[in-house]
């Protein structure tokens, strides 16, 4: 079955700097790659997603890149702000089943 | 509009008790998912419904876990004879699409503590 590895497990950046989180997946059939943000005690919320027919997608300060050959995808957050501090999860899926990474705790220091 | 809701938000059960966790998906959403989230981990897939049909239950950890969605809307996850290792947050999510590859909207979760 699918296996998703996520790195780093924690990431501290200075406000205004960029943050990059990387994920690898094992099942080449996976074709949907969402990223979720989860604040402490809250529900996970989708921040951006990408499908396998696209290499890159951007939404304001957030971008995701996908390399299907290498089976890895990354989340890029530019001009980080304190409110970006949260746990970020990547996921990979085919059909309706999503497999999540273990999460990255992002701390943005002001 | 209303998002996904779950009840109860917190549940404490003595080992061996049965529990029932409820999920109210977004109205009109075809797909409904249950996940288990252990502390410091990502959500782990338990089971998936398309309308009232349970199409995938491969993630249910044992036969003590049972889920149903009899009318294709509200779903209940039941855990029989709870064990300490069942302690986790149980998340429900729904999606408009029945074909996959679309946003899953999560509920706030039920935090289950088995003592």
């Amino acid at each position: 079955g699918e296996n998703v590895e996520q790195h780093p497990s924690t990431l501290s950046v200075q406000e205004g700097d960029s943050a990059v989180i990387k994920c690898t997946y094992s099942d080449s059939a996976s074709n949907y790659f969402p990223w979720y943000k989860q604040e402490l005690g809250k529900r996970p919320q989708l921040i951006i997603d990408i499908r396998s027919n696209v290499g890159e997608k951007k939404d304001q300060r957030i971008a995701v890149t996908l390399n299907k050959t290498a089976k890895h995808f990354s989340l890029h957050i530019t001009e980080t702000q304190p409110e970006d501090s949260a746990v970020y999860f990547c996921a990979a899926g085919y059909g309706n089943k999503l497999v999540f990474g273990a999460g990255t705790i992002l701390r943005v220091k002001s | 509009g209303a998002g996904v809701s779950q009840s109860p938000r917190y549940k404490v059960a003595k080992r061996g008790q049965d529990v029932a966790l409820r999920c109210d998906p977004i109205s009109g959403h075809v797909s409904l998912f249950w996940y288990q989230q252990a502390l410091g981990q990502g959500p782990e897939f338990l089971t998936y419904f398309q309308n009232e049909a349970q199409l995938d239950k491969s993630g249910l950890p044992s036969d003590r876990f049972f889920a149903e969605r009899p009318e294709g809307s509200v779903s209940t996850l039941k855990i029989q004879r709870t064990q300490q290792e069942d302690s986790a947050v149980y998340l429900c999510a729904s999606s408009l699409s029945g074909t996959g590859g679309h946003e899953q909207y999560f509920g706030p979760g039920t935090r289950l503590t088995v003592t």
Side-chain angles (χ1 to χ4, degrees), chain A residues 37-73:
Chain A
K37 175 183 179 183
Q38 187 174 30
E39 296 177 31
L40 191 63
K42 302 273 183 75
R43 69 189 76 195
Q45 292 196 299
L46 182 77
I47 55 170
I48 196 167
D49 58 9
I50 193 168
R51 289 173 179 77
S52 57
N53 58 345
V54 174
E56 184 172 355
K57 184 176 177 181
K58 190 172 180 182
D59 182 4
Q60 299 182 352
R61 296 187 296 109
I62 295 170
V64 58
T65 59
L66 171 65
N67 183 326
K68 284 212 71 179
T69 304
K71 292 196 284 228
H72 65 70
F73 56 114

Side-chain angles (χ1 to χ4, degrees), chain B residues 3-16:
Chain B
V4 179
S5 61
Q6 293 185 244
S7 60
R9 292 292 315 279
Y10 304 91
K11 178 70 179 176
V12 179
K14 285 187 166 45
R15 192 175 58 175

Side-chain angles (χ1 to χ4, degrees), chain A residues 13 26 31 68 94:
Chain A
V13 299
S26 61
N31 59 4
K68 284 212 71 179
Y94 174 78

Side-chain angles (χ1 to χ4, degrees), chain B residues 14-28:
Chain B
K14 285 187 166 45
R15 192 175 58 175
Q17 279 185 331
D18 297 349
V19 298
L21 313 180
R22 178 187 167 106
C23 172
D24 282 83
I26 294 172
S27 178

Side-chain angles (χ1 to χ4, degrees), chain B residues 61-105:
Chain B
S62 77
D63 58 8
R64 297 186 294 104
F65 287 71
F66 171 76
E68 59 183 6
R69 193 186 185 198
E71 296 176 0
S73 55
V74 171
S75 177
T76 304
L77 176 68
K78 297 178 180 177
I79 308 174
Q80 297 176 323
R81 304 180 303 281
T82 51
Q83 304 293 315
Q84 283 193 316
E85 61 263 27
D86 299 336
S87 295
V89 175
Y90 290 84
L91 292 165
C92 174
S94 70
S95 176
L96 182 61
S97 168
T99 58
H102 294 84
E103 179 172 2
Q104 295 186 17
Y105 294 82

Side-chain angles (χ1 to χ4, degrees), chain A:
Chain A
E2 177 65 276
N3 182 51
V4 177
E5 302 275 344
Q6 183 171 346
H7 299 280
S9 55
T10 60
L11 179 59
S12 288
V13 299
Q14 204 64 38
E15 182 178 358
D17 286 351
S18 294
V20 180
I21 303 170
K22 298 182 179 182
C23 289
T24 60
Y25 62 100
S26 61
D27 190 347
S28 55
S30 288
N31 59 4
Y32 177 60
F33 307 91
W35 286 87
Y36 282 82
K37 175 183 179 183
Q38 187 174 30
E39 296 177 31
L40 191 63
K42 302 273 183 75
R43 69 189 76 195
Q45 292 196 299
L46 182 77
I47 55 170
I48 196 167
D49 58 9
I50 193 168
R51 289 173 179 77
S52 57
N53 58 345
V54 174
E56 184 172 355
K57 184 176 177 181
K58 190 172 180 182
D59 182 4
Q60 299 182 352
R61 296 187 296 109
I62 295 170
V64 58
T65 59
L66 171 65
N67 183 326
K68 284 212 71 179
T69 304
K71 292 196 284 228
H72 65 70
F73 56 114
S74 301
L75 177 71
H76 304 251
I77 306 174
T78 57
E79 300 169 30
T80 53
Q81 300 165 5
E83 53 265 36
D84 294 331
S85 296
V87 182
Y88 291 81
F89 294 100
C90 63
Y94 174 78
N96 272 296
K97 190 167 179 177
L98 284 180
V99 176
F100 284 80
T104 297
I105 300 171
L106 174 63
R107 295 193 186 92
V108 180
K109 297 175 286 187
S110 55

